[in-house]
Amino acid sequence: MKRIGLKSAYFPLVANGQKRSTIRAGAKTDLVGPAMLVAGSQSIAIAISEVVVKPYAALTEDDARLDGFASLAELIAALESFYPYLGPADPVSILHFEPMEITR
């Protein structure tokens, strides 16, 4: 099963249903299907239903909300901390998922 790292602070957002996507740098179209989100010692099995690839500059407020952020500005700040090298035209992948089971 694919393992996808997640910052521990975001794990509760997945567990309570606020976070239903995660964004990764690059075109990750091969990630559809079962996977495991891993945050420190916590993990959650997920089903990735869709991967949307778009330019970094094309992210929207809706993308931010699905990722558990209050605004696009908040999402961009978080992405810049993980991927400081991303330029406006660089591709990002939005992994849409549903949780299956939480392991603590």
Side-chain angles (χ1 to χ4, degrees):
M1 185 177 292
K2 300 170 198 106
R3 296 172 62 84
I4 299 169
L6 185 72
K7 188 174 178 181
S8 294
Y10 300 145
F11 191 84
L13 299 175
V14 174
N16 73 19
Q18 252 183 290
K19 182 175 178 66
R20 287 289 175 257
S21 72
T22 188
I23 298 174
R24 297 293 186 264
K28 312 285 186 188
T29 55
D30 61 334
L31 293 178
V32 172
M36 186 73 65
L37 280 179
V38 179
S41 63
Q42 298 178 309
S43 63
I44 182 168
I46 60 169
I48 300 172
S49 59
E50 178 183 28
V51 176
V52 176
V53 178
K54 62 169 72 175
Y56 180 54
L59 290 170
T60 66
E61 292 287 339
D62 285 342
D63 295 329
R65 280 190 285 281
L66 282 171
D67 206 346
F69 292 93
S71 68
L72 179 58
E74 198 177 285
L75 170 64
I76 295 299
L79 289 173
E80 286 176 349
S81 73
F82 294 117
Y83 309 113
Y85 55 84
L86 278 178
D90 289 335
V92 294
S93 295
I94 305 168
L95 286 58
H96 295 274
F97 64 82
E98 289 296 326
M100 296 164 54
E101 142 189 357
I102 298 174
T103 306
R104 296 177 192 254

